[in-house]
Amino acid sequence: MRIVLAGLVLLALVVPSLPAAIKQPVKVDGGLVSGAPGKDPSVTAFKGIPFAAPPAGALRWKAPAPLVAWKGIRKADSFGPSCIQTIAKERKPWTYEFMTHGEISEDCLSLNVWTAAKSADEKRPVYVYFYGGGFNEGSGAVPVYDGEGLARKGIVVVTTNYRVGVLGFLSHPELSAETSPKASGNYGLLDQIAALHWVQNNIRAFGGNPASVTIGGQSAGGMSVHSLIASPLAKGLFHRAIVQSGGSTIGGAGISLGGRNLADAEKDGLKFAESKGAKSLAELRAMSWQTLTAPAGASASPAPMLRFSPIVDGYVLPAAAQQVVIEGKQNDVPVLTGQNTGELGGLMAPQARMTAESFAKQARQRYRDAAEEFLKLYPAATDAEAEAAQAKSSRDQAMVAMYLWAQQRAKTAKTKAFIYLWDHTLPGPDAAQYGAFHTGEVPYVMNTLYMSDRPFVAADRKIAEMMSSYWANFIAAGDPNGKGLNRWPEVGDKKEVMELGDVTQPVPLAGSDARFEFFKRFLTR
């Protein structure tokens, strides 16, 4: 991947390059590790640190086991293998910097730490980031997740691998029977919890404060954060949470907010085993990962259409994450959450061109008896008006759904919530086609424009400085506000959302009380 030289020069000019002074080697669970300077030598990166034993062989589909200690000093200067998945160089709109690269292996439970601390007693705030990828791909080594950008703002950044796909979320009656909680399927979430335990035990050595840990993630990573907020197994392991495009809505909730139940997931597991010609769990464990992940047509019988993701197993997730919050049983921490304008009509923009006729037809299918009321609120006599009405109504519904989610949360939570709408388009040849697409905010909030070869200009760098400052402030104190930033109000009775990017200010949710009330009725019926 090409790195933008101009961006690196600017990076060097903005922040003085002062050598980091964490005493090495660093003692962690398992032994000693030594890191390497980042692009900015004031930051030291420790990559590929194991936090659990390889979950292979007899340990496949089990909770992460204690890691095996090593002798001598382990060089932590390169990323460990990513968990088993299909590797793609790009998948538009996601280009190289958004994708997993390099080696994959079942021996993948490692994490990475970036710190600019000069001693182990600085107690800097910690940010643990979980990747997206639909619970079927992703890695702590994805370029745009590089921790240096936030480490330069005083944060100790951790990215961690967790199992995905069939190896991360397979449930099966035999798997449930062999465990004391009689549950199975959430191995990826258990990996995340194990990484958080590692942070509690070891982050002091990197100048981090285990009493000031923020968890965050985007898409499936954000859904994971919701699951960890709901999980009793994660109690006390974190103190703030960031959810980017991860299902913080009422109506049409995301994967981990809805969640399959254990019985249904076990039935799916039996169907999967049958598709592989396996009559027992032992036969599944004896198979290679290549066989397990082979597409339909390469196994004993056609593989069922299964989506592997978190389930309500009664152990890691006692109930659907949203229900846990309704009952007031969540890990109550401040939350910052939002979504992007380019994903409001679906994650994979662009959408089919809207006409006046198709807009009216879609309205009648979606809103049924309330369709005429909707069409009065969003009139569209021409195709051009229909496209504008579609964009406006999608945005309004999404913002109302997120606000209602925050209002519902406030009934049981004692902590603050901050919501946003990201509107800035990532530059590049496909900018006009994809807009502010799903994941497009990540290089800005992580302050990692330097990991991309897109044609960034001064405005992009200004937005990245602003966004990463909001994020760093929240990670440090549970409030994004700080010196030199436009005021971001917490969610209250005022019907507004913080628009971020090209527009950076609170804006009304739906433009009128009538539109707000329409979507409120539709989303809560």
Side-chain angles (χ1 to χ4, degrees):
M1 183 186 66
R2 295 167 294 170
I3 304 299
V4 179
L5 181 59
L8 293 179
V9 170
L10 180 66
L11 189 69
L13 291 175
V14 171
V15 177
S17 295
L18 301 175
I22 281 284
K23 185 178 180 180
Q24 297 194 52
V26 175
K27 178 69 170 67
V28 297
D29 291 349
L32 299 171
V33 294
S34 63
K39 296 176 180 66
D40 181 336
S42 70
V43 177
T44 302
F46 297 81
K47 300 176 179 178
I49 305 174
F51 66 88
L59 296 181
R60 182 188 282 172
W61 298 308
K62 287 191 175 183
L67 57 81
V68 179
W70 56 89
K71 295 180 180 180
I73 300 173
R74 184 186 183 103
K75 287 187 177 182
D77 57 359
S78 60
F79 293 114
S82 300
C83 294
I84 299 301
Q85 61 194 276
T86 299
I87 298 294
K89 185 176 181 180
E90 68 174 35
R91 191 181 296 115
K92 292 291 185 71
W94 302 291
T95 44
Y96 183 99
E97 68 271 33
F98 293 95
M99 306 300 291
T100 302
H101 308 285
E103 183 184 0
I104 58 173
S105 171
E106 286 192 79
D107 183 3
C108 65
L109 297 187
S110 65
L111 50 76
N112 318 293
V113 180
W114 288 263
T115 180
K118 298 184 182 303
S119 69
D121 58 2
E122 291 190 19
K123 295 184 178 179
R124 296 188 176 208
V126 180
Y127 187 39
V128 182
Y129 186 84
F130 302 114
Y131 48 79
F135 296 109
N136 280 282
E137 61 183 50
S139 170
V142 166
V144 291
Y145 305 155
D146 187 79
E148 186 172 314
L150 285 176
R152 293 172 59 246
K153 289 179 176 277
I155 308 300
V156 177
V157 180
V158 179
T159 65
T160 182
N161 288 347
Y162 63 90
R163 284 170 281 180
V164 294
V166 65
L167 294 172
F169 296 96
L170 176 72
S171 185
H172 189 281
E174 286 188 62
L175 283 170
S176 299
E178 72 178 17
T179 63
S180 56
K182 303 302 179 187
S184 61
N186 284 325
Y187 306 105
L189 295 181
L190 288 169
D191 294 342
Q192 295 171 5
I193 292 169
L196 291 174
H197 278 289
W198 185 97
V199 167
Q200 288 297 310
N201 294 336
N202 298 281
I203 208 65
R204 287 186 184 89
F206 300 91
N209 183 0
S212 182
V213 175
T214 299
I215 60 173
Q218 185 270 342
S219 194
M223 295 175 190
S224 296
V225 171
H226 276 306
S227 293
L228 295 173
I229 289 172
S231 178
L233 302 186
K235 184 177 181 180
L237 298 180
F238 60 94
H239 313 91
R240 290 167 285 280
I242 297 176
V243 179
Q244 297 165 220
S245 305
S248 304
T249 61
I250 292 292
I255 295 171
S256 73
L257 304 191
R260 298 171 297 155
N261 62 46
L262 180 61
D264 288 343
E266 288 179 342
K267 290 177 184 177
D268 287 343
L270 287 171
K271 293 177 183 176
F272 175 81
E274 181 181 359
S275 76
K276 296 297 177 183
K279 298 179 181 179
S280 67
L281 175 60
E283 290 184 13
L284 280 176
R285 280 202 171 115
M287 291 180 178
S288 68
W289 65 259
Q290 290 91 341
T291 299
L292 290 170
T293 59
S299 54
S301 61
M305 294 297 292
L306 300 177
R307 182 179 180 90
F308 294 103
S309 61
I311 65 169
V312 176
D313 62 350
Y315 174 56
V316 181
L317 279 176
Q322 201 158 292
Q323 183 61 35
V324 173
V325 174
I326 291 172
E327 295 173 0
K329 297 178 181 179
Q330 74 273 30
N331 298 308
D332 189 1
V333 299
V335 176
L336 184 155
T337 187
Q339 51 193 312
N340 302 354
T341 57
E343 63 196 13
L344 300 186
L347 300 186
M348 287 296 292
Q351 303 299 309
R353 187 171 180 82
M354 187 63 65
T355 65
E357 181 181 0
S358 61
F359 181 71
K361 180 179 179 181
Q362 182 185 85
R364 293 187 176 95
Q365 290 174 338
R366 179 176 297 171
Y367 302 111
R368 299 182 184 277
D369 294 343
E372 295 309 316
E373 179 185 359
F374 172 83
L375 291 171
K376 288 180 181 178
L377 292 170
Y378 297 93
T382 67
D383 292 352
E385 289 176 353
E387 287 206 347
Q390 172 68 8
K392 175 61 177 170
S393 62
S394 294
R395 171 177 168 145
D396 289 351
Q397 179 173 323
M399 293 302 95
V400 171
M402 186 164 58
Y403 175 80
L404 293 176
W405 169 87
Q407 290 291 88
Q408 184 183 78
R409 173 190 178 276
K411 294 178 181 179
T412 60
K414 298 179 181 179
T415 53
K416 297 178 180 180
F418 299 85
I419 60 176
Y420 72 84
L421 174 66
W422 168 253
D423 67 3
H424 181 66
T425 296
L426 198 66
D430 302 313
Q433 183 180 15
Y434 293 111
F437 65 83
H438 188 64
T439 325
E441 83 289 0
V442 171
Y444 296 89
V445 303
M446 297 295 285
N447 203 21
T448 55
L449 300 189
Y450 56 86
M451 297 303 291
S452 173
D453 65 355
R454 290 173 179 262
F456 296 115
V457 296
D460 291 288
R461 291 184 281 273
K462 183 178 179 181
I463 291 172
E465 174 62 26
M466 173 191 71
M467 292 294 288
S468 59
S469 293
Y470 277 130
W471 258 239
N473 291 341
F474 183 84
I475 291 164
D479 189 315
N481 293 291
K483 185 177 179 181
L485 298 170
N486 288 356
R487 182 69 186 172
W488 183 341
E490 65 179 281
V491 178
D493 294 331
K494 197 170 183 180
K495 301 179 183 69
E496 62 184 8
V497 62
M498 186 70 172
E499 190 162 355
L500 296 172
D502 297 329
V503 175
T504 304
Q505 63 186 22
V507 297
L509 283 176
S512 72
D513 288 341
R515 289 174 174 176
F516 177 86
E517 291 300 328
F518 176 85
F519 286 121
K520 181 179 179 180
R521 292 196 309 273
F522 174 71
L523 293 165
T524 58
R525 62 186 178 182

